[in-house]
Amino acid sequence: MCGIFAYAGKNNAAPILIEGLKRLEYRGYDSWGVAVQENNAIHVVKEVGKISKIDSLNQLPHAKIGIAHTRWATHGGITQTNAHPHYSSDNSFVLAQNGIVQNYEPLKEMLQKKGYKFISETDTEVIVRLVEEKLLGISSLRLAVRAAVKELEGRNTVILLSNKGEIIAARNGSPLVAGRTASDDLIVSSDTLSFAPIAQKMLVIDNGQIVQIHDKEMHIFDITSDKELKYNWEDINLRNDKVDKEEFDHFLIKEIHETPKALEQIVRQDKKSYLALAHALKAARTVYTIGSGTAGVAAAQIAYYLREFAKINAISLVGADALEYVELFSKEDVIIAPSQSGETADVLEVLEFAHKKGLKIASYVNMPGAMMTRMSDFKFMAEAGPEVSVVSTKIFTSQITWGYLVAKTVSDGFDEGITHINSLIEAMKRYLKNQSNINLVKNLAEKLINVDDIFLLGKGQNFYIVKEGMVKLIECTYKHAHAMPAGDLKHYAITLMQPGVQILVAFSDDSSMSDVINAVNEVKTRGAEVTAIGSKSSKNFNSFIKVPEVKELNSVMNVIPLQLLAYYIGIQLGNEVDKPRNIAKSVTVK
Ligand code: GLU
């Protein structure tokens, strides 16, 4: 899930490439590289680690064209040699990839037999050598890339820079968008957000297309037919595209505080689009919801709302494991995909199957121009503004609140749903503004800082909420956290309950409350300590984090202290919470 950024224009390329890369760093941050072309030569700088050693950029000449890459390693260790871009043997071009070449082993073997030498351990270098091989019989770089790309298996998007000052990019699975500035400079990137501050226009490059930039002109070709395609630039429509921590120490805490603003966007959306989706859901045989990571938890909560409020047979799937359901899909089914990036490879693969089988697809995506939106019959945009922290917070809450409104619409309760969401927004604003609420969470964070294991219990509307708490704790604190249905605890995890064990419970004052209290008493009897999050205290808890009462949306309110808790433990531990180790935000590889 690397980030790709290319520039061709009138200005010095290197600083623009670096700025673009910084905005793509959420996609991977183990190493990076920049290549520029000047005087028929390509100059490359590559570094391991975050994009900080900008000094090395002084080694690059003033050039008007270049490409850059930030890596999340899949094949080959995190080394300078394995960082992209990679040179061709004669230094006539460099190449970077976002994705995985699934058949890199047989290709590498074939190329080695032909005498090609490999310097790095990456699958990406196979593409470099394959393009070289194709260039033996094809004189145009674009056609050689086309021939090479046709032999690759997997999802991969590649970008090349030639010593003649040409950029070629081919999209196959992983995202690619083009941008144009007011003065007609051209950009090619993995996402629109990366060039939003400098570009006015955007163009989504579709799968199976090749971009060629030469002499300040951009041409697009279909890979299969090699026909040149006409294109129309679109205006960039990115709300709140400022990427700035403002008065906050981290993007993560800023984005938690932006949640009410993100929810306001849901209320503003057109009722007609909700009614159209509700109509399709009512007619559906089964509704599948799908997501990966945090969005997978959101998908599960959305399925919960569809069962609870709309009485729909809704099943949630986790992206990486959903293929086993594909055979069961029928064209009477609908599939719903909440996603920040709209580019998650695991989910896209399942949606492609669903599309072929004739299912209707609904998506709720934050990033404009994403593949998921393009393949959807019902396209919803979160419009929650950029979420820069790799740890997703405001988008999760936006996704589940949207799912709630969809479920309410199915049961003819759209207006009531809007009223509840408005109350939630006001309550959340009040909660976040009140420093004593924040201090309570900070105190709990201090208590949990030395604990190795944290258990989280929830039931009904709160089960996936505690699961979200678990995901956040794991991402921010690197501690072991384990969320489970409160009622299931007694069947296995009760063996682990003993003095000193810390339990977090999220609850709502509803029919699930008595079962939750039973679980609380069961763990307390064995010496565990329980901190509860909810709107109503009970003498059964050891400590209590109070949130405002917001009825049907109580559990959404409970998300906020759980996210805050993960943040405060993470920073007290000195962890880099905006970029937790080993993960990246937009997982465009399988
Ligand atoms: N497979 C490539 C590598 O490891 C790119 C990985 C990616 O896109 O995340 O270098």
Side-chain angles (χ1 to χ4, degrees), residues 1-2 71-75 84 97-100 122-124 589:
M1 47 214 158
C2 314
R71 180 171 186 239
W72 186 83
T74 65
H75 292 62
H84 306 205
Q97 182 207 188
N98 172 199
I100 291 176
T122 64
D123 53 338
T124 307
V589 295

Side-chain angles (χ1 to χ4, degrees), residues 281-282 284-285 287 302-314 406-408 410-411:
L281 294 177
K282 272 184 203 166
R285 193 193 61 156
V287 175
I302 294 170
Y304 167 83
Y305 286 138
L306 290 170
R307 293 190 297 269
E308 177 69 16
F309 295 115
K311 304 297 169 219
I312 276 178
N313 179 24
V406 170
K408 291 294 281 185
V410 175
S411 56

